[in-house]
Amino acid sequence: MSDNNPAGEGAGLPNWLFGGGYFVALAALAVGLVWPQLDRYAVYWMMLVPVLGALYVAAANWKSDRRLSVAALLALAGLALVLGGRELVK
């Protein structure tokens, strides 16, 4: 199975991205248990992993699968709208 298999559920994503991000988040959460003031960084990392995945998909597949790249960019734009709208509600 190749790293960039568009037929799978993780279309366009390398297999290591979410696995590696998960284990880094798990280690960061464990550190957050020992030093609670660091737990926010583990949460930030967990929020950053899908953003990194979308950016990777958009950049790596731009020439081969433009629709997938546009979908990843639209997902990021939607996330930005949600976070921006949340600031307006406060």
Side-chain angles (χ1 to χ4, degrees):
M1 186 177 205
S2 70
D3 261 355
N4 237 353
N5 182 8
E9 185 174 323
L13 283 173
N15 294 329
W16 56 266
L17 182 65
F18 280 110
Y22 168 77
F23 286 112
V24 169
L26 190 63
L29 287 171
V31 168
L33 287 173
V34 177
W35 294 288
Q37 65 272 21
L38 298 177
D39 62 353
R40 81 169 42 120
Y41 299 111
V43 173
Y44 290 154
W45 176 254
M46 291 174 66
M47 293 187 312
L48 186 64
V49 170
V51 172
L52 291 174
L55 287 173
Y56 180 89
V57 166
N61 295 307
W62 186 255
K63 290 183 181 179
S64 63
D65 192 356
R66 184 83 38 105
R67 290 184 304 163
L68 183 62
S69 294
V70 170
L73 291 173
L74 285 173
L76 288 174
L79 179 63
L81 284 173
V82 167
L83 291 176
R86 191 183 87 185
E87 292 300 319
L88 291 174
V89 172
K90 281 185 178 182

